[in-house]
Amino acid sequence: MVLLKWKSCITAITLTAISVTAWKSALAVSLYSLTDLGSLTGQPYSLASGINDLGEVTINSQYGSFFYSNGSLKTINPLPGDNQLAVTSINNLGQVVGNSVNRNQYTANNPFLYSNGITQPLPLQDAIPYAINDRTQVVGGAIKLGPFLYSDGIATSIGTPGNVAYSLNNLGQVVGVLSTNTAFLYQNGQTTNLGTLSGDVFSQANDINDLGQVVGYSGPNAFLYSSSTGLQNLGKLRPTDVFSLALGINNLGQVVGFSGTNNNYFAPDGNGLRAFLYSDNTLYDLNNLIAPGSEPGFTLTAASAINNNGQIVGRGAVNGELHAFLLTPILSASVAEPTSGVPILSFGAVVILFAAFKGKPHSRSAAIQQKLQVNKAIS
């Protein structure tokens, strides 16, 4: 059975908590204001799956999906005949992709493009679109085509069934995972197996920027890849953490994801999970970068995407609920260079339909799962 593979919120800190005298190797990074997007949905469960450079955000919740822009929330409707959907990606034109199903009479995944308030079907059968670029090219996974690239009204297979494409950049470079459970980079008609970090047996690529830098995870560690450096281990936030996953990257090379000990990635109490930012060769706990007085009570548990203005979206725990969040840079301050810390995650394409979140390996149980059959590699 295929599930959408997914492809956060803090305790407020005081100014003294960001005092330079308290740290070694202090670096200058932004502080952030936090917007609780989940409270706008009026639901106890929500998460943000994507953000564009205009600050427009896609949100999935327990009972629907939304488009956020300039403080307002619009509901994204499923395709006719369907009653449940998940949104996965948004481009700088405000176009959103996702898939919808009829949870009562499930037949197939129905991929769609949402634009200007209208949800329209994509000409693909039983497919899940995971990303859209500014050229309106879409990638994802389909039962018959395997990993696909949709461009100019035509869907083309770019690999064998069992492979899945999770992201692409504006140059048309595509990343994802092979049926061998290793990350790949597709460009100019050629697929390159990116392999794994030393000692690992699986990897997955989740995002790529316009410079060709790729992020994902290998074994229990988040990685950053470039053609000049190969796979780089980004490590973990804390010595006690057992895994880290990189989920998004912008054109400045800033990476977001999460690190922790709890494999219940959608726990409403946020136990053991912390959202991270990797910038200037340093891994930061985003919970330590929230401006004082900004939405106290949140714990940022995962960051899913970052735009080229440094805005970050994801999910976080607050008052026993899981809420989508938006972080916006407001100033720079000296903050501590964190320590990093090792066990096993395994690739699997089991994901929650309404979660729209990539990189949830080896999880076959989560609230409100909608299992969908795609192919062997993503089941």
Side-chain angles (χ1 to χ4, degrees):
M1 302 270 294
V2 156
L3 301 166
L4 266 171
K5 188 159 197 159
W6 315 78
K7 206 147 193 296
S8 315
C9 20
I10 12 186
T11 302
I13 56 174
T14 64
L15 284 171
T16 55
I18 53 173
S19 169
V20 178
T21 59
W23 308 309
K24 302 175 183 178
S25 305
L27 298 176
V29 295
S30 294
L31 291 182
Y32 297 85
S33 64
L34 188 150
T35 303
D36 180 359
L37 300 180
S39 65
L40 300 179
T41 70
Q43 298 179 31
Y45 183 103
S46 62
L47 61 88
S49 60
I51 183 171
N52 64 17
D53 290 340
L54 300 177
E56 297 169 330
V57 182
T58 50
I59 302 171
N60 289 296
S61 73
Q62 194 165 2
Y63 301 111
S65 296
F66 304 92
F67 177 93
Y68 171 86
S69 178
N70 295 322
S72 66
L73 210 61
K74 293 181 181 179
T75 299
I76 299 176
N77 294 316
L79 291 170
D82 291 339
N83 53 22
Q84 189 172 12
L85 78 162
V87 290
T88 52
S89 178
I90 183 171
N91 66 12
N92 284 324
L93 302 176
Q95 297 172 311
V96 177
V97 291
N99 76 301
S100 72
V101 299
N102 187 315
R103 62 175 176 264
N104 301 320
Q105 301 176 10
Y106 172 73
T107 54
N109 290 298
N110 300 308
F112 66 78
L113 173 69
Y114 171 87
S115 181
N116 297 319
I118 300 173
T119 305
Q120 297 179 318
L122 290 173
L124 288 158
Q125 293 184 337
D126 212 358
I128 300 174
Y130 287 114
I132 181 170
N133 66 12
D134 294 340
R135 296 161 60 188
T136 317
Q137 294 177 307
V138 180
V139 294
I143 288 179
K144 293 182 179 180
L145 289 178
F148 66 82
L149 172 63
Y150 173 80
S151 183
D152 297 324
I154 299 174
T156 304
S157 176
I158 57 172
T160 61
N163 302 349
V164 187
Y166 286 123
S167 189
L168 81 167
N169 61 19
N170 289 316
L171 302 178
Q173 295 175 300
V174 182
V175 295
V177 66
L178 301 170
S179 58
T180 54
N181 291 349
T182 48
F184 76 78
L185 169 63
Y186 172 89
Q187 56 185 340
N188 301 322
Q190 299 295 318
T191 298
T192 301
N193 187 333
L194 299 183
T196 66
L197 294 170
S198 179
D200 294 334
V201 295
F202 59 88
S203 62
Q204 176 177 309
N206 291 324
D207 199 14
I208 181 171
N209 66 13
D210 290 339
L211 301 179
Q213 295 174 302
V214 181
V215 294
Y217 65 89
S218 174
N221 292 299
F223 74 70
L224 171 63
Y225 167 89
S226 71
S227 59
S228 60
T229 64
L231 293 181
Q232 295 175 273
N233 189 341
L234 299 187
K236 307 177 185 70
L237 279 176
R238 300 162 296 188
T240 55
D241 286 350
V242 296
F243 62 82
S244 61
L245 281 73
L247 302 175
I249 184 171
N250 65 13
N251 287 339
L252 300 177
Q254 295 175 303
V255 181
V256 294
F258 65 101
S259 178
T261 59
N262 181 3
N263 63 5
N264 180 5
Y265 300 154
F266 301 95
D269 60 1
N271 182 32
L273 300 178
R274 310 285 284 189
F276 73 68
L277 167 69
Y278 176 83
S279 183
D280 296 322
N281 299 312
T282 304
L283 201 63
Y284 297 96
D285 186 336
L286 280 171
N287 291 277
N288 296 334
L289 300 182
I290 305 306
S294 181
E295 296 289 353
F298 262 95
T299 299
L300 301 177
T301 58
S304 53
I306 180 169
N307 68 14
N308 291 320
N309 298 315
Q311 292 179 295
I312 299 168
V313 294
R315 62 182 183 271
V318 56
N319 299 324
E321 297 182 349
L322 198 68
H323 285 196
F325 71 77
L326 166 65
L327 298 181
T328 300
I330 56 174
L331 57 90
S332 294
S334 295
V335 298
E337 181 174 332
T339 57
S340 313
V342 152
I344 315 188
L345 289 175
S346 124
F347 168 78
V350 182
V351 192
I352 306 176
L353 172 68
F354 66 83
F357 170 70
K358 295 175 288 190
K360 184 180 187 294
H362 213 75
S363 171
R364 296 190 178 269
S365 63
I368 313 182
Q369 287 189 350
Q370 177 71 46
K371 297 184 178 181
L372 310 171
Q373 179 66 42
V374 172
N375 53 40
K376 182 178 179 182
I378 50 174
S379 63

